[in-house]
Amino acid sequence: MYRTHNCGELRIDNIGENIILAGWVQRTRDMGGMTFLDLRDRYGVTQVSFNQEVNANLCMAARKLGREYVVQVEGKVIERESKNQNIDTGAIEIQASKLTVLNASETPPFTIEDETDGGEELRMKYRYLDLRRKPLRNNLELRHRLGFETRRYLDQHRFLEIETPYLIKSTPEGARDFVVPSRMHNGEFYALPQSPQTFKQLLMVSGYDRYFQIVRCFRDEDLRADRQPEFTQIDCEMAFVDQDDVLNTFEGLVRHLFKEVKGIELPEYKIMTYEEAMRLYGSDKPDLRFGMPFVELNEETQNKGFGVFDAADLVVGICAKGAADYTRKQLDKLTDFVRKPQIGAKGLVYCKVNEDGTFKSSVDKFFDQEALASWADKMDAQPGDLILILAGVKEATRKQMNELRLEMGNQLGLRNPNDFAPLWVVDFPLLEWDEESKRFHAMHHPFTSPKKEHLGLLDTDPEKVNANAYDMVINGVELGGGSIRIHDQKIQSKMFDLLGFTKDEAEKQFGFLMGAFKYGAPPHGGIAFGFDRLAAIFGGTDSIRDYIAFPKNNAGRDLMIDSPSTIAPDQLNELGIDVIDSNE
Ligand code: ASP
C-alpha cells in the first residue's frame, strides 16, 4: 500500500495512529536537531518531522531531499507544539519512522508555492508543474464541480447528454473554421465545429427534446486577450418551448450552480431589451451591479453656442454619486482615460453639483447656472454629485461612455466581485450590416428566428427585424446566449437569401438541415454557455486560461508541447498537400 491517508486529511483525532503518506517535497527545514519536511499532494500539505537524536540516519536522509522529490513517509501522528492555523492539517505532524524516495526530481524552474516566482511564459512551458500549485488546483476543482452540478441539474430536468462529431463541415457562427485535411479524400477537408449548432437542431428533429453537451468548440479567430482557439460550452437545446421556457430553465441552471457551488442565492434576473441596454448603458452586456445609467442631454445642451455639443449626434451624461469632490487632477486623469486610443473620445465635459447647490462645469463659458441646473434636473443629480458628459456620433459615443461608466464604477468601488447582478438581454436585432462585405450578417447565427410580428419586415426593412435571441449576462460578462430557431424551411431559405447565399450555396452548405426540416421539425430553441468563462466568474477572476488545464497562450500557441508546428514531408504528401517553399 502506497498510502493510508492523503496529505490533507489528518487531524487532532488521528493522534497516535500509524500512517503512511506519499507526495511531493514542498520544502525541508533544518532546525538544529530536527528536520521538518512539508509533504504535498492534491489534498494539502502535512508536516513531517525527523529527530536527529531518535534516528540520525533518517534525519540525514531527509536533509538530502530536494524540492519536488516524490517520497513515501511512514510514521505516527503527533500533536504539533506550535500549531499552524493556516492549513487544515496544522494541528498535527508526522513523526517519521521510515522514508522512501520513490523518485528524484530536478530543481523545478520556479517555486511551486501559492505565490510563485515563475513568469507567465515559463509556467506555460512547464504547465504540469504549475498545475501542482494550489490556486490552479482550486480552479480545476471548481471547474469539475461546476460541470458535475450542471450535469446533475440538467439530468434532473430530463436532458440527455449526447455527443456530436468533431470532424464535420463548416458551421457558420461568425468565425473562421479550423480545418483538418483528409488523407482518404485528398483535397477535401473536415472542419472542426465552432459549435454543435446544426447537430443539436437535428437532434430536435429526431425527437430528443432535451439535449445538452459539455463540449469543445473551435474558432479560428484573431486572438484577443482571454480568448482560446478551443474552448468549452455547455450546449443545450429544447423542443416545444418558447423563449420564456428557455429563459426559465437556464436561469434555473445558473441559480442551481450558484447555490450548490458558491452557496449564494442569486437575486432576481432583470430583463432588458437590446435597444434599452444600448441606450442606457452603451453595451449589450451591461454591468448592473451599479446604476449610473446614461441620460441623453441633446435637448438641454444643443444650440447654446458650444460647437462640440452642437455638432454632436448624441450628447450623453452619467451621474457619479458623491464624486463632486473629484480634484482637478482626478478629472484630468478621466479626460486622459477617455482620450486613450482604445477608447477614442475627443474630450470630456464635467459639471459638479456643489454642496451649496451651485454648479461648476468645464464649459461655464457657454452654460450659465440655469442651464447647468437643467442638466442636473434631467439627470437627477443631487448636491455632491459629478456629471460627466461625452458627445459625438451616437454609436461611438455610447461605446466610450460605457467604458467611462465602468471606470467610474471601479473608481467608486461599485463593482464588488462578491455581488452578482444577473440579467437577460433580449430582442437582439436579427441582422447586422457589414460595411466591408456590404452584406447583412446574422447577429447571432443564421438559424435564429425573427420575431413573429416582424416577419412582414423581412422583405421591406430587414434591418428593423428583431430576433428571438437572448444573452445571459452577469456583472458585465456574457455568460451565454441562444435563440428560438427557425423551424420552417421556407423562412430558413429566406434567411439564407437575406444573408447573401445563392440557392446553390445554401443547398451545398445546409442542404442536410433544410432536408431535415421537411420531415417534421418541432419548434425548438436553445442556448450555450461559455464554460471556461463561467468557471472564471465563479472563481472571481478575469482570466479563463487559469481555469483550463492546458491552455494556449495569447498567440494561440501551446508552449509546452510546442504547437502548432510543422509536420514531416511524408505526412504532408499523404495528405496531398503541396508545400510551397518561399525560398525556391
Ligand atoms: N451555437 C450558439 C453559440 O455557440 C449558441 C446557441 O444558439 O445555442 O453561440
Side-chain angles (χ1 to χ4, degrees):
M1 187 172 15
Y2 271 112
R3 53 183 175 179
T4 56
H5 293 79
N6 66 50
C7 293
E9 68 177 315
L10 293 168
R11 302 280 185 279
I12 282 280
D13 290 347
N14 301 99
I15 283 174
E17 289 176 26
N18 288 311
I19 56 90
I20 309 174
L21 296 181
W24 286 262
V25 174
Q26 173 105 358
R27 72 172 86 85
T28 55
R29 291 181 307 276
D30 291 327
M31 318 268 284
M34 298 289 286
T35 295
F36 293 101
L37 155 64
D38 286 347
L39 192 65
R40 172 192 0 97
D41 66 10
R42 202 186 109 193
Y43 307 91
V45 173
T46 300
Q47 175 165 297
V48 184
S49 63
F50 299 84
N51 190 329
Q52 171 88 35
E53 275 168 31
V54 176
N55 190 336
N57 282 345
L58 200 60
C59 199
M60 180 75 81
R63 276 185 202 161
K64 284 201 195 128
L65 294 173
R67 270 161 49 203
E68 303 308 313
Y69 273 46
V70 187
V71 300
Q72 185 186 39
V73 169
E74 228 174 295
K76 192 165 159 187
V77 183
I78 59 170
E79 186 166 0
R80 257 209 233 188
E81 263 174 42
S82 56
K83 305 213 167 27
N84 181 351
Q85 312 285 0
N86 297 326
I87 58 173
D88 293 339
T89 60
I92 56 98
E93 67 186 19
I94 309 304
Q95 196 172 46
S97 52
K98 191 171 168 200
L99 172 69
T100 312
V101 174
L102 299 175
N103 210 344
S105 167
E106 288 190 14
T107 307
F110 50 85
T111 54
I112 317 276
E113 307 272 352
D114 291 5
E115 297 285 337
T116 168
D117 57 359
E120 182 88 25
E121 290 255 313
L122 195 63
R123 285 189 287 124
M124 290 288 266
K125 181 152 188 230
Y126 295 92
R127 185 72 170 177
Y128 49 89
L129 293 180
D130 207 17
L131 288 172
R132 285 188 191 161
R133 296 193 309 117
K134 190 164 159 211
L136 282 176
R137 231 166 48 223
N138 287 348
N139 291 351
L140 293 190
E141 273 174 23
L142 172 67
R143 185 183 174 107
H144 161 79
R145 187 103 332 261
L146 283 169
F148 189 80
E149 287 300 335
T150 297
R151 290 197 162 93
R152 200 152 75 100
Y153 175 90
L154 291 174
D155 177 66
Q156 279 166 0
H157 288 77
R158 290 188 281 111
F159 283 78
L160 290 182
E161 184 164 20
I162 301 174
E163 287 166 282
T164 52
Y166 281 155
L167 295 175
I168 63 166
K169 83 178 181 184
S170 178
T171 40
E173 296 270 357
R176 274 189 205 93
D177 290 317
F178 280 103
V179 294
V180 180
S182 159
R183 180 184 58 81
M184 307 264 276
H185 307 279
N186 271 192
E188 295 184 323
F189 298 81
Y190 300 100
L192 301 179
Q194 294 185 36
S195 87
Q197 185 62 37
T198 47
F199 287 98
K200 66 176 173 176
Q201 292 193 239
L202 292 173
L203 285 170
M204 294 306 113
V205 178
S206 307
Y208 295 85
D209 63 355
R210 291 177 170 217
Y211 141 96
F212 86 101
Q213 187 177 190
I214 297 185
V215 62
R216 199 69 53 81
C217 301
F218 307 84
R219 295 185 189 175
D220 188 3
E221 287 175 296
D222 294 334
L223 292 153
R224 279 188 256 145
D226 208 33
R227 281 261 173 120
Q228 289 281 318
E230 52 177 305
F231 61 96
T232 305
Q233 286 189 343
I234 305 171
D235 190 51
C236 312
E237 196 75 7
M238 307 168 81
F240 305 114
V241 287
D242 58 25
Q243 178 164 312
D244 280 348
D245 298 317
V246 179
L247 301 198
N248 285 333
T249 304
F250 292 100
E251 199 172 305
L253 167 65
V254 172
R255 202 170 274 294
H256 171 85
L257 293 178
F258 268 91
K259 188 147 173 241
E260 295 302 319
V261 180
K262 262 184 115 55
I264 285 178
E265 219 34 92
L266 264 194
E268 199 161 323
Y269 275 67
K270 291 219 165 71
I271 298 193
M272 193 180 283
T273 65
Y274 172 84
E275 189 278 326
E276 266 178 296
M278 296 309 287
R279 181 164 42 81
L280 295 176
Y281 301 98
S283 164
D284 60 2
K285 39 178 186 291
D287 184 348
L288 294 190
R289 278 173 295 182
F290 65 108
M292 227 187 270
F294 297 4
V295 179
E296 301 191 352
L297 294 169
N298 290 48
E299 224 170 88
E300 287 73 15
T301 58
Q302 291 186 315
N303 304 319
K304 305 267 163 36
F306 182 42
V308 174
F309 284 176
D310 290 349
D313 180 22
L314 175 72
V315 181
V316 65
I318 51 173
C319 173
K321 290 272 157 221
D325 57 358
Y326 261 47
T327 60
R328 175 91 245 168
K329 207 164 145 203
Q330 282 174 300
L331 290 164
D332 286 347
K333 266 204 164 149
L334 281 182
T335 307
D336 291 344
F337 173 83
V338 296
R339 277 192 179 146
K340 283 196 300 194
Q342 310 90 291
I343 299 189
K346 295 226 171 59
L348 173 68
V349 168
Y350 71 81
C351 173
K352 291 179 172 183
V353 189
N354 297 321
E355 292 297 347
D356 63 5
T358 62
F359 303 94
K360 169 79 197 98
S361 87
S362 52
V363 287
D364 282 347
K365 247 202 287 176
F366 303 98
F367 298 93
D368 58 17
Q369 291 286 307
E370 194 184 333
L372 298 177
S374 76
W375 302 2
D377 193 44
K378 177 94 176 257
M379 302 200 61
D380 203 17
Q382 308 299 323
D385 293 350
L386 173 68
I387 296 171
L388 297 168
I389 299 175
L390 294 175
V393 178
K394 192 187 264 176
E395 227 175 90
T397 307
R398 282 179 173 169
K399 273 202 188 125
Q400 295 155 4
M401 192 52 119
N402 166 47
E403 299 289 344
L404 180 62
R405 173 179 173 270
L406 293 176
E407 173 63 19
M408 288 310 293
N410 286 338
Q411 291 195 9
L412 300 176
L414 303 173
R415 303 180 76 193
N416 179 349
N418 298 318
D419 285 346
F420 295 94
L423 163 74
W424 286 107
V425 179
V426 300
D427 296 0
F428 280 81
L430 183 70
L431 302 163
E432 61 188 340
W433 182 253
D434 183 60
E435 257 314 307
E436 216 170 284
S437 55
K438 299 261 179 269
R439 330 198 214 175
F440 283 117
H441 283 200
M443 190 138 178
H444 187 49
H445 53 53
F447 315 110
T448 295
S449 63
K451 293 239 164 255
K452 223 198 230 136
E453 61 275 22
H454 288 181
L455 275 176
L457 293 171
L458 273 180
D459 292 319
T460 52
D461 305 277
E463 71 285 350
K464 291 199 182 130
V465 176
N466 280 348
N468 295 308
Y470 33 79
D471 275 357
M472 186 191 286
V473 175
I474 294 190
N475 295 359
V477 178
E478 181 200 322
L479 273 194
S483 59
I484 298 298
R485 325 298 184 189
I486 299 168
H487 64 278
D488 177 311
Q489 188 216 337
K490 281 191 229 73
I491 299 178
Q492 187 63 70
S493 223
K494 175 170 264 176
M495 185 70 182
F496 288 137
D497 214 29
L498 273 173
L499 296 173
F501 289 89
T502 64
K503 284 250 163 336
D504 272 0
E505 283 166 347
E507 180 55 37
K508 194 158 173 247
Q509 263 208 62
F510 307 111
F512 64 97
L513 189 70
M514 312 251 264
F517 281 4
K518 292 180 192 159
Y519 294 95
H524 61 288
I527 192 166
F529 292 91
F531 188 55
D532 313 289
R533 183 150 302 147
L534 187 77
I537 272 244
F538 270 71
T541 59
D542 292 334
S543 161
I544 64 169
R545 239 190 282 167
D546 295 343
Y547 297 83
I548 299 172
F550 297 106
K552 316 259 184 292
N553 74 0
N554 268 347
R557 291 197 157 275
D558 185 322
L559 298 177
M560 182 182 67
I561 60 172
D562 186 25
S563 157
S565 59
T566 53
I567 56 174
D570 282 0
Q571 230 175 335
L572 286 171
N573 237 336
E574 259 182 356
L575 294 167
I577 295 175
D578 293 326
V579 191
I580 300 158
D581 190 338
S582 53
N583 294 327
E584 271 175 20

